[in-house]
């Protein structure tokens, strides 16, 4: 078996130093997050996708990464098939997926607010095409029932993969507890195997009784593999570098707390802008107080986060404008 580091060295002018080879890839950590709005059930009906607290999870992770004091280059993007292929082609040392998982697939976004189920076989094909896996040393699949997806990454050639057991669902906070402890351990020089044990111990030691039982639901694949590599031990000291594409400028306010159950409406608004027949103006109508402004704000915020409007998103209060 040819080691991936040897491939990297050959393709980058015979780089010999480990840190030189590692910095030759574009990113150290690619963080893909998937939060589609709706899915079609087996009965053909449309259902809301359960929301995940990406903002809180990402904020805690970035705070943890900063504590390590390493110049980690992180790229945060929406989990679409296009972004997965693009970012793996550009090169990364570690890939992290967070979202919903099914026993035989991961839930990606389709770019229009809906679900794109990518099965384990397709994941393997996407990842192994062109030898892209040779530049990725580690994959973390932070989703329930993600064992099949994790094994697909192993079959594609990834040396270290963390996933959740096929028959297991974990509490919402367990992946965040695990990954914060795990990534901090990796960044300060621990091996993948050592960092995995530290992550498990952090979940087991959690004061939350629901999370406590989840420590053994995480898997380090392949089970019989040697997980004594240190992924980030050669990073220089310094501040982390966030290489994500910047969101467009905006004066949007925050989506009201407790705004739930409107995913279908949000998807309809997106469809008017991104469907086969796009419209330049979309009006939301209804009685006063029904949530038109909140729905418009949430839809605009969702699309802005996905870079739909490169020039910006502007909120104009029409009654205030008339008075002015």
């Amino acid at each position: 078996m040819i080691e991936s580091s040897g491939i990297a060295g050959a393709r980058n002018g015979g780089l010999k130093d480990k840190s030189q080879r590692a910095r030759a890839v574009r990113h150290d950590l690619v963080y893909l997050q998937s939060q589609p709005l709706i899915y079609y059930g087996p009965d053909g009906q449309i259902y809301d996708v359960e929301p995940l607290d990406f903002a809180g999870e990402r904020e805690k992770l970035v705070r943890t990464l900063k504590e390590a004091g390493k110049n980690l280059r992180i790229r945060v993007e929406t989990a679409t098939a296009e972004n997965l292929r693009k970012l793996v082609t550009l090169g990364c040392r570690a890939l992290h997926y967070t979202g919903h998982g099914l026993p035989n697939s991961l839930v990606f976004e389709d770019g229009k607010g809906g679900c794109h189920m990518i099965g384990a076989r397709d994941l393997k094909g996407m990842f192994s095409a062109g030898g892209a896996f040779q530049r990725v040393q580690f994959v973390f699949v932070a989703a329930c029932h993600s064992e099949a997806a994790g094994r697909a990454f192993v079959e594609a050639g990834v040396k270290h993969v963390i996933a959740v057991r096929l028959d297991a669902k974990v509490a919402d906070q367990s992946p965040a507890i695990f990954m914060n402890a795990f990534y901090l351990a990796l960044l300060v020089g621990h091996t993948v195997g050592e960092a995995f044990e530290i992550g498990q111990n952090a979940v087991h030691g959690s004061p939350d009784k629901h999370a406590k039982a989840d420590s053994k639901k995480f898997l380090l694949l392949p089970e019989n593999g040697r997980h004594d590599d240190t992924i980030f031990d050669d990073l220089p000291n310094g501040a982390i570098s966030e290489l994500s594409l910047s969101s467009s400028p905006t004066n949007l306010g925050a989506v009201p707390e407790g705004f739930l159950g409107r995913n279908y409406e949000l998807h309809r608004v997106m469809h008017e802008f991104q469907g086969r027949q796009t419209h330049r103006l979309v009006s939301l109508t209804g009685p006063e107080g029904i949530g038109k402004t909140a729905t418009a704000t949430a839809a605009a915020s969702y699309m802005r986060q996905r870079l739909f409007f490169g020039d910006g998103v502007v909120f104009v209060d029409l009654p205030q404008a008339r008075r002015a």
Side-chain angles (χ1 to χ4, degrees):
M1 177 178 174
I2 300 176
E3 292 292 340
S4 60
S5 59
I7 294 292
R11 290 180 178 175
N12 289 283
L15 299 175
K16 300 183 181 300
D17 180 74
K18 179 183 177 183
S19 63
Q20 285 182 301
R21 288 198 301 267
R23 302 304 277 187
V25 299
R26 183 75 64 87
H27 311 99
D28 295 313
L29 174 62
V30 164
Y31 185 95
L32 295 177
Q33 53 189 31
S34 175
Q35 182 59 77
L37 297 169
I38 57 99
Y39 72 97
Y40 290 88
D43 56 1
Q45 298 297 310
I46 296 176
Y47 296 92
D48 286 1
V49 175
E50 180 185 355
L52 300 171
D53 183 17
F54 284 149
E57 178 181 295
R58 190 169 62 248
E59 181 181 342
K60 290 177 182 177
L61 176 62
V62 170
R63 190 161 58 239
T64 296
L65 299 177
K66 288 180 178 179
E67 286 184 14
K70 296 293 185 179
N71 178 219
L72 179 86
R73 300 164 301 173
I74 181 172
R75 175 86 171 258
V76 179
E77 291 288 352
T78 301
T80 63
E82 180 182 2
N83 279 343
L84 174 62
R85 181 70 259 175
K86 174 183 68 178
L87 293 169
V88 170
T89 299
L90 288 173
C92 63
R93 287 209 243 182
L95 174 71
H96 184 106
Y97 166 90
T98 183
H100 292 285
L102 299 172
N104 292 301
S105 62
L106 294 180
V107 181
F108 279 61
E109 296 187 19
D110 66 0
K112 298 179 181 178
C115 291
H116 178 195
M117 312 295 188
I118 301 183
R121 180 179 298 179
D122 289 335
L123 278 173
K124 176 184 175 182
M126 291 171 63
F127 213 72
S128 58
F133 71 91
Q134 295 170 337
R135 307 179 77 187
V136 180
Q137 302 174 48
F138 166 75
V139 173
F140 191 149
V141 192
C144 297
H145 317 297
S146 57
E147 180 177 348
R151 294 192 184 281
F153 285 119
V154 172
E155 291 173 8
V158 181
K159 198 172 180 181
H160 313 287
V161 178
I162 290 179
V164 176
R165 293 185 183 279
L166 189 63
D167 58 352
K169 181 177 176 63
V170 294
D172 289 344
Q173 61 272 31
S174 296
I177 295 171
F178 182 98
M179 75 176 186
N180 287 332
F182 173 81
Y183 280 120
L184 181 61
L186 273 188
L187 282 169
V188 299
H190 285 281
T191 67
V192 174
E194 293 168 346
F196 180 79
E197 291 180 4
I198 290 170
Q200 280 188 312
N201 185 265
V203 175
H204 183 74
S206 168
D208 188 292
K209 62 180 181 180
H210 299 293
K212 193 178 185 72
D214 288 341
S215 62
K216 297 301 182 181
K217 296 179 182 178
F218 293 93
L219 294 170
L220 179 56
L221 303 173
E223 292 95 333
N224 59 349
R226 291 184 59 183
H227 299 292
D228 53 0
D229 290 336
T230 52
I231 306 297
F232 297 132
D233 64 312
D234 60 312
L235 290 179
N237 293 332
I240 67 171
S241 301
E242 297 188 57
L243 306 177
S244 308
L245 297 178
S246 301
S247 297
S248 55
T250 187
N251 65 338
L252 280 174
V255 177
E257 188 174 348
F259 181 84
L260 300 170
R262 296 290 184 90
N263 284 17
Y264 175 68
E265 287 80 3
L266 299 182
H267 182 259
R268 286 193 62 188
V269 173
M270 282 190 64
H271 183 74
E272 296 299 326
F273 283 107
Q274 299 292 325
R276 292 181 179 177
Q277 294 183 333
T278 59
H279 298 89
R280 298 179 65 184
L281 175 65
V282 177
S283 299
L284 306 183
T285 62
E288 183 177 355
I290 200 172
K292 301 183 296 297
T293 300
T295 300
T297 300
S301 179
Y302 186 90
M303 289 187 283
R304 174 180 172 267
Q305 291 167 6
R306 286 151 182 81
L307 305 176
F308 280 22
F309 306 114
D311 293 330
V313 177
V314 180
F315 179 87
V316 179
D317 188 332
L318 293 180
Q320 292 290 339
R322 282 199 298 267
R323 284 194 291 269

